[in-house]
Amino acid sequence: MVANPSTNFPPLENGDCKASRRHRLTRIEFERRYAAMPNLKKAELVEGVVYVPAALRFRNHAEPHSRIMTWLGVYQVFTLQVAIGDNPTIRLDLDNAPQPDAVLMINGGRLELVVEVAASSAAYELHDKKRAYRRNGVPEYLVWRVYEGQFDWFIPEAGKYIKQQAGANGILRSQIFPGLWLAVDSLLSGEMQQVLKILQQGLDSKAHQDFISD
């Protein structure tokens, strides 16, 4: 990676921190160095450490990401007070500026729901990044562990994230966005028609109708 020659900022590299992991990068310094690299498409600061992902594979990231955006996009179309974002950089605090795969906000305000597509339970999405989102009060955090074929939907309880369990019908439901229902097994297997069918049931629910008329 080549830094902008008109600046004195060193290029961002994966694992970067300030001198050592005992001296983390600040978000301000991260943003300055990121801005000096206009050709860099994705970089994140998580707990003061820079993460620059390798090339994304179709089946392990691009395809799951498209399914998530389809699900959330349909919900947003019928819930106009909700704003959706695809890979935005989020300023959480002075140590964290992640770039999640998808976010939902109400009226363009506070970040309410974050979705990440991760490789496995060993990925930083389920460790440092999860801790940063929890500490900054993100109400719902969703992680798709692609290699393991698992989907985690975390909500806060007693100061920590707990994993929601799907009901007997295999559906997970948002606690923040009424009608945002997810048929987890169908999503994992690529049965998007069933995913959208279940979402439509959520959109037809009284809770969603009350939400959009409020």
Side-chain angles (χ1 to χ4, degrees), residues 156-173:
E157 183 176 296
K160 62 181 181 179
Y161 274 145
I162 62 167
K163 182 179 175 181
Q164 279 204 90
Q165 300 300 319
N169 52 9
I171 298 174
L172 287 168
R173 305 184 185 196

Side-chain angles (χ1 to χ4, degrees), residues 47 125 127-136 161:
E47 302 292 49
E125 283 88 352
H127 298 281
D128 288 350
K129 193 183 284 189
K130 176 184 171 186
R131 182 166 56 248
Y133 285 132
R134 177 195 55 76
R135 191 173 64 244
N136 283 277
Y161 274 145

Side-chain angles (χ1 to χ4, degrees), residues 70-174:
T70 298
W71 171 59
L72 293 179
V74 171
Y75 181 78
Q76 191 276 330
V77 165
F78 293 97
T79 318
L80 296 182
Q81 67 267 47
V82 168
I84 184 174
D86 184 344
N87 271 285
T89 295
I90 303 297
R91 291 174 169 175
L92 288 180
D93 55 35
L94 287 177
D95 297 311
N96 291 278
Q99 194 172 335
D101 287 290
V103 301
L104 281 186
M105 298 181 290
I106 298 176
N107 291 325
R110 185 173 179 272
L111 185 65
E112 300 287 354
L113 182 147
V114 170
V115 186
E116 297 277 11
V117 177
S120 70
S121 57
Y124 69 110
E125 283 88 352
L126 279 162
H127 298 281
D128 288 350
K129 193 183 284 189
K130 176 184 171 186
R131 182 166 56 248
Y133 285 132
R134 177 195 55 76
R135 191 173 64 244
N136 283 277
V138 174
E140 297 191 289
Y141 181 42
L142 289 59
V143 182
W144 185 345
R145 292 181 280 140
V146 178
Y147 288 149
E148 297 166 1
Q150 297 293 321
F151 194 94
D152 303 317
W153 191 317
F154 296 104
I155 56 175
E157 183 176 296
K160 62 181 181 179
Y161 274 145
I162 62 167
K163 182 179 175 181
Q164 279 204 90
Q165 300 300 319
N169 52 9
I171 298 174
L172 287 168
R173 305 184 185 196
S174 172

